[in-house]
Amino acid sequence: MPTRFDLPHIDIAAFRSSSPYAGSGSPNGGSAVRIRGEHGRRLQNELNVAFAAADAAMPSDDRLEPPEGTFLEVELRRGTKADILERKTDGVRPGAVKPDDQRTVALYVPDHARSALERILEDYTNGPLSVVARQPPMKSFVEPIEAFRRARLETFWTDDPEALPKNPSDQIWWALWCWKNSEAKIDEVCERLGVRAANGDRRLYFPEAVVIPVLATRADIELILFATGAIAELRRASDSPVFFTDEVRDSQHEWSEDLATRVIWPPSTAPAVCLLDTGVNRAHMLIEPALANGDMHVIDRDWGTDDHDGMGHGTAMAGLALHGDLTAQLGDQSERVLQHRLESVKVLPPDGFEANDPHSYGVLTQAAISLPEITAPERARVFCMAVTNKDVSGSMATTWSAAIDQAAAGTMIGDDASSPKRLFVVSTGNIAPEIEFRRIRSQDMYPVEDPAQAWNALTVGGYTDLINVNDAGYEDWRPFCAAGQLSPYSRTSVAWPQGRAPFKPEIVLEAGNRAVSPSGNEVLTVDSLSLLSTGRDVDRQPLVPFQATSAATAQAGRLAAQLSAAHPDYWPETIRALIIHSAEWTQPMLAAFATAGGKKDNYELVRRFGYGVPSLERAAASSRNHLALISQSPIQPFRLQGSRKFNECHYYDLPLPRQTLEELGNEPVEMKVTLSYFIDPNPGLSANVDPQRYQSHGLRFDLRRKNESISNFQKRVNASEREDPRVAPRTEPDDNRWLLGPQSISAGSLHCDIWSGPAIELLGRDKLCIKPVNGWWRTRASAEYCNKATRYALIVTMKTRNVDIDLYTPIAASVDIRNAIPIEV
């Protein structure tokens, strides 16, 4: 099996054959007593001094629990193996080892084991010699030790000394080599400190270690290091596709085969990511087990189903949609379990065939959708498309975007009442990669391309965390963007008219970065700032760099399929809501919000960053201080009964325990609300200037206001509750604590907002309403449509910034946290 990464120096007995200490021979008898006394007493004194110095130097932070142990730097006699220091029963374990002339080892000593270590030295120094060999107790443990010192951050650094940040505020991606059972502890501490740990796709898993990339300052790493006792070794995070595309290019097959043998492949019934692209080379060993020949489709049989694109776009999409970024997965030793499959529909013609007519994109897309559904009608699937019309951009609905909206809603030609709703994941389109720096303009000047304005689609933009340029010959180049910023490839909807256009993109995922020359004149796309995926040319280059919003969109399709596999009873509307609800902004994005002048500025930022970077872990799990309440519900928005009327409002009783809110007082909390549904589109006429002409119906959420009675709340949100529907009741004005506010909700079929404020201000605000707003079903359609039912997904999250606060227990005690039930219809 190929070896990519050096293993951390932890539990070394697991990786090396151990041998007993064989020193140069210690004198016996009286000289042994004299020498061991001097040596033992010196070590006892050094140990006490080291413990005292470590205690005094221990960094403290109110956000962290007191440490449960201490790290020491132990100097060993040359040639000694570090595993002699391990004391499994006491929890004493060696970490980073520096093979200098005098070997130094980072040794973790739990607080409860200090006395055990002290007792070993005492026994060695003063205990009786063995009867036969006349050797002091614990000789093999003590005599190889030359010195004890307080551990410093440098003790753990085993990379190039010049690469270690010198200043406390220097920020890099660190590789934290941790003991395998410490992953959760690292994640918790990173959350407490507000630093970003990479998700599971970028982590390396070995039998006894996990490598976690963390974007942090040196000061943060020192806190994490000494507060957790979980880190064995520190390096600079340097994982890069360059290793596979350059350094081991000739052995890519071996690396791919090794990963393929570690993958647990999905069953034929698993949910699928259906790629609408240039086709896929199914012969790739990392694709073939998850893509059946019968799931390869094409809208024109003469084209063939294989990937015809010279750059292998469809095959690269397939690799990321199935596995995610391959860089880390190829380099570790862990088993990878896949719960979803692939399907492919070739929608673009190869060279030599007539190009698709842009006016037919919508028809061709709907035709493509039907092919896998006919072949495997019972399979759940996510449609993933990173193909855009580069000649059309903007918020105005086109035949293509409307066709996607129609297909998502289950109302395209051939659909009936039993037809499924469909989840579409589409890209924003890319900004052409300029080489001359002076020609690069603001990304806000490049609006999202057709068909990404589709209301029902999940539109994906790109951000980047890739900042290490290490391609040969480009070592002195710098990244174009800092970690956590918008990828230079990604488009935005900042230029779209507020009030008539949905927020796009809704999410951003890793799309890669670009490199800037030392002179600042050139900007290039390089392998080290890209992702790694499967290549079309299986024989010569099965692993290739891949970037831009296509890469981000493929990852989003994968995320949707993973959630669909984990929650087979969730609707497409719910999967979309979960993904968006799990999204969080990076620190640079949050910094932009912090300096925004008001809600209008916030609108622009959401049109740039979406709702942030989604996370499978956040989407799939609830925690003590951050839990989600999910509802899937049918609703009939209108009715034709003499006249055309609004029909239903749904009221939700939010489980906000009064006692808990009172106890929290001014503790900051966040309430995040996400509402997802699919509209039936009606493009044309005045639909481009009036969203209510385009949508079949709209839905809105509304929270009971402070000091507002339940009766007034219902009358305010629901005209049918009033004696005179035209006269709204006098009520308290809403507070200004919503990030976007109700004025932001004008178009689209996905609405998300965050209320932030003191917990005490949520007292009495425990009612939430889902209400319909106008659409063409009510104003222009026949009775059949006016009386039509639809459905929605609602997610409400309560979160505190203080991770020690337990919201889960009191809320779970009052409601089934899996579903919030409407209390009145």
Side-chain angles (χ1 to χ4, degrees):
M1 184 180 68
T3 302
R4 159 77 162 84
F5 299 99
D6 296 330
L7 294 177
H9 304 289
I10 64 176
D11 196 13
I12 296 179
F15 303 110
R16 305 176 182 168
S17 60
S18 59
S19 60
Y21 167 67
S24 57
S26 295
N28 295 324
S31 60
V33 173
R34 184 178 66 255
I35 292 174
R36 71 155 175 164
E38 294 172 357
H39 185 62
R41 281 189 292 273
R42 179 174 62 80
L43 290 182
Q44 284 179 306
N45 181 62
E46 288 180 355
L47 182 64
N48 292 332
V49 170
F51 276 140
D55 291 342
M58 185 69 67
S60 61
D61 192 290
D62 292 340
R63 296 167 292 180
L64 302 180
E65 298 291 333
E68 299 176 349
T70 304
F71 275 110
L72 302 176
E73 182 179 278
V74 182
E75 183 178 316
L76 294 178
R77 184 178 300 167
R78 186 175 183 179
T80 304
K81 295 183 180 295
D83 57 348
I84 67 140
L85 298 173
E86 185 172 31
R87 307 282 296 175
K88 288 186 177 180
T89 56
D90 296 318
V92 176
R93 53 194 181 189
V97 178
K98 292 188 177 182
D100 306 323
D101 289 341
Q102 297 295 319
R103 173 168 288 182
T104 57
V105 181
L107 186 69
Y108 179 69
V109 183
D111 289 342
H112 64 80
R114 285 191 180 191
S115 58
L117 200 57
E118 292 165 349
R119 188 164 54 252
I120 288 172
L121 293 179
E122 173 63 27
D123 289 346
Y124 170 82
T125 304
N126 299 313
L129 302 179
S130 62
V131 175
V132 177
R134 306 297 294 166
Q135 299 294 324
M138 300 302 294
K139 173 185 175 182
S140 62
F141 180 89
V142 177
E143 289 198 355
I145 299 174
E146 296 286 350
F148 287 110
R149 291 184 288 269
R150 173 179 69 86
R152 302 161 298 137
L153 184 142
E154 288 80 1
T155 306
F156 299 83
W157 185 259
T158 59
D159 215 329
D160 180 358
E162 295 301 317
L164 177 63
K166 301 298 188 293
N167 298 318
S169 60
D170 287 347
Q171 185 184 61
I172 64 168
W173 278 102
W174 303 73
L176 277 54
W177 290 75
C178 308
W179 285 283
K180 190 63 175 285
N181 59 358
S182 301
E183 189 174 5
K185 181 183 290 187
I186 293 295
D187 286 333
E188 179 188 351
V189 171
C190 286
E191 182 180 0
R192 287 174 178 270
L193 295 177
V195 301
R196 190 144 52 91
N199 63 26
D201 286 342
R202 291 184 59 197
R203 300 182 184 188
L204 292 163
Y205 295 92
F206 297 106
E208 297 189 8
V210 57
V211 184
I212 306 175
V214 173
L215 180 66
T217 64
R218 174 176 171 138
D220 287 331
I221 290 298
E222 289 198 81
L223 279 173
I224 298 171
L225 174 64
F226 293 109
T228 63
I231 300 171
E233 187 172 342
L234 290 172
R235 304 181 193 177
R236 190 183 186 102
S238 58
D239 298 347
S240 167
V242 169
F243 178 81
F244 299 101
T245 60
D246 187 5
E247 295 180 38
V248 296
R249 183 186 180 97
D250 294 338
S251 59
Q252 284 189 359
H253 289 90
E254 288 81 358
W255 286 95
S256 300
E257 184 177 2
D258 172 62
L259 175 57
T261 61
R262 290 187 279 112
V263 173
I264 305 301
W265 297 95
S268 60
T269 55
V273 177
C274 183
L275 297 168
L276 309 182
D277 212 280
T278 62
V280 175
N281 187 348
R282 181 175 172 268
H284 201 293
M285 67 182 71
L286 292 176
I287 294 176
E288 186 271 337
L291 177 57
N293 191 54
D295 292 328
M296 299 276 289
H297 307 281
V298 61
I299 59 176
D300 186 330
R301 292 183 181 179
D302 293 338
W303 296 353
T305 58
D306 266 359
D307 188 354
H308 67 266
D309 181 57
M311 302 300 292
H313 189 272
T315 305
M317 288 284 294
L320 289 184
L322 191 61
H323 301 283
D325 186 3
L326 289 171
T327 306
Q329 298 185 43
L330 287 164
D332 71 9
Q333 300 171 6
S334 66
E335 182 178 274
R336 300 281 176 165
V337 180
L338 292 181
Q339 301 288 355
H340 68 283
R341 301 181 57 80
L342 291 176
E343 296 173 336
S344 170
V345 184
K346 191 169 182 175
V347 297
L348 294 177
D351 293 341
F353 289 84
E354 186 178 353
N356 293 336
D357 180 358
H359 295 94
S360 301
Y361 287 166
V363 173
L364 292 174
T365 300
Q366 291 191 352
I369 291 167
S370 65
L371 296 175
E373 291 185 341
I374 292 171
T375 302
E378 300 302 319
R379 180 183 293 155
R381 58 180 52 83
V382 178
F383 292 97
C384 181
M385 185 172 68
V387 179
T388 60
N389 185 352
K390 296 177 174 58
D391 297 324
V392 178
S393 62
S395 63
M396 184 179 297
T398 63
T399 54
W400 196 4
S401 71
I404 290 176
D405 281 336
Q406 198 175 57
T411 59
M412 68 183 194
I413 295 175
D415 284 343
D416 55 29
S418 62
S419 296
K421 301 287 197 294
R422 304 173 178 94
L423 179 57
F424 271 83
V425 178
V426 301
S427 70
T428 60
N430 294 322
I431 298 173
E434 296 283 358
I435 295 178
E436 294 183 62
F437 190 94
R438 64 181 181 83
R439 294 173 62 90
I440 294 176
R441 298 183 296 167
S442 167
Q443 290 170 267
D444 294 341
M445 300 178 69
Y446 298 90
V448 168
E449 293 178 332
D450 184 38
Q453 72 272 35
W455 287 26
N456 294 338
L458 174 62
T459 302
V460 185
Y463 90 112
T464 189
D465 273 332
L466 303 177
I467 56 174
N468 296 328
V469 182
N470 50 28
D471 302 72
Y474 294 88
E475 292 85 354
D476 54 350
W477 289 48
R478 61 180 174 82
F480 183 87
C481 301
Q485 291 185 341
L486 203 64
S487 168
Y489 301 102
S490 192
R491 290 173 172 261
T492 78
S493 66
V494 171
W496 287 4
Q498 179 60 31
R500 300 200 303 272
F503 287 108
K504 296 287 181 174
E506 287 95 349
I507 59 169
V508 290
L509 281 164
E510 180 62 69
N513 205 342
R514 302 188 72 209
V516 181
S517 65
S519 66
N521 295 326
E522 291 182 89
V523 185
L524 296 180
T525 297
V526 295
D527 290 359
S528 61
L529 300 181
S530 303
L531 297 89
L532 189 69
S533 190
T534 47
R536 168 181 172 267
D537 191 344
V538 175
D539 293 332
R540 293 192 301 173
Q541 195 175 5
L543 301 172
V544 295
F546 196 51
Q547 64 287 120
T549 58
S550 292
T553 304
Q555 294 172 89
R558 174 176 180 249
L559 176 55
Q562 289 174 311
L563 288 171
S564 183
H567 302 282
D569 55 332
Y570 280 2
W571 300 336
E573 301 96 315
T574 314
I575 298 297
R576 178 175 68 154
L578 274 175
I579 292 172
I580 293 167
H581 200 87
S582 75
E584 292 185 355
W585 292 295
T586 64
Q587 285 301 321
M589 297 174 191
L590 289 171
F593 277 101
T595 57
K599 287 184 168 47
K600 288 186 178 180
D601 289 345
N602 291 342
Y603 301 164
E604 289 191 2
L605 294 174
V606 175
R607 292 191 179 280
R608 188 174 299 137
F609 307 132
Y611 295 99
V613 183
S615 159
L616 176 63
E617 292 77 14
R618 286 193 298 268
S622 230
S623 64
R624 293 172 64 247
N625 74 319
H626 188 173
L627 71 160
L629 303 152
I630 301 173
S631 176
Q632 300 184 134
S633 180
I635 188 171
Q636 182 182 330
F638 317 115
R639 71 179 187 271
L640 182 57
Q641 187 177 358
S643 60
R644 299 170 184 269
K645 301 176 181 179
F646 288 108
N647 186 51
E648 284 186 295
C649 281
H650 287 187
Y651 298 93
Y652 285 83
D653 217 356
L654 299 181
L656 305 179
R658 184 179 187 88
Q659 181 179 349
T660 302
L661 295 178
E662 289 175 341
E663 290 173 353
L664 290 176
N666 290 319
E667 185 75 36
V669 298
E670 289 183 356
M671 175 185 287
K672 188 173 185 178
V673 182
T674 302
L675 175 63
S676 174
Y677 56 98
F678 290 159
I679 58 97
D680 188 5
N682 183 27
L685 300 178
S686 59
N688 292 321
V689 295
D690 183 359
Q692 294 187 357
R693 291 292 185 94
Y694 182 74
Q695 64 187 16
S696 54
H697 66 289
L699 297 177
R700 302 289 186 267
F701 60 82
D702 206 324
L703 183 67
R704 180 183 171 193
R705 297 175 182 174
K706 187 176 181 180
N707 299 323
E708 186 176 38
S709 68
I710 294 177
S711 175
N712 276 357
F713 170 59
Q714 292 176 329
K715 291 176 181 178
R716 176 173 61 81
V717 299
N718 187 359
S720 64
E721 298 276 357
R722 310 170 197 156
E723 293 182 6
D724 185 346
R726 297 168 298 180
V727 180
R730 296 177 62 87
T731 187
E732 296 290 332
D734 200 4
D735 57 35
N736 197 36
R737 297 197 178 278
W738 290 100
L739 180 73
L740 301 175
Q743 297 303 315
S744 69
I745 303 176
S746 54
S749 59
L750 186 288
H751 312 302
C752 181
D753 207 349
I754 301 172
W755 184 97
S756 304
I760 197 72
E761 291 191 15
L762 284 178
L763 277 177
R765 308 196 66 182
D766 54 356
K767 295 288 189 296
L768 185 125
C769 172
I770 303 297
K771 60 182 180 181
V773 297
N774 267 329
W776 65 266
W777 278 1
R778 177 177 183 248
T779 58
R780 302 173 64 84
S782 64
E784 174 189 0
Y785 283 95
C786 191
N787 291 325
K788 196 172 183 179
T790 184
R791 65 191 195 185
Y792 65 87
L794 173 69
I795 304 179
V796 182
T797 295
M798 286 289 298
K799 179 181 179 180
T800 64
R801 299 172 191 170
N802 187 340
V803 298
D804 293 321
I805 293 174
D806 181 9
L807 284 179
Y808 184 95
T809 302
I811 292 181
S814 62
V815 70
D816 180 349
I817 65 169
R818 291 169 299 175
N819 291 283
I821 307 300
I823 62 168
E824 184 176 348
V825 177

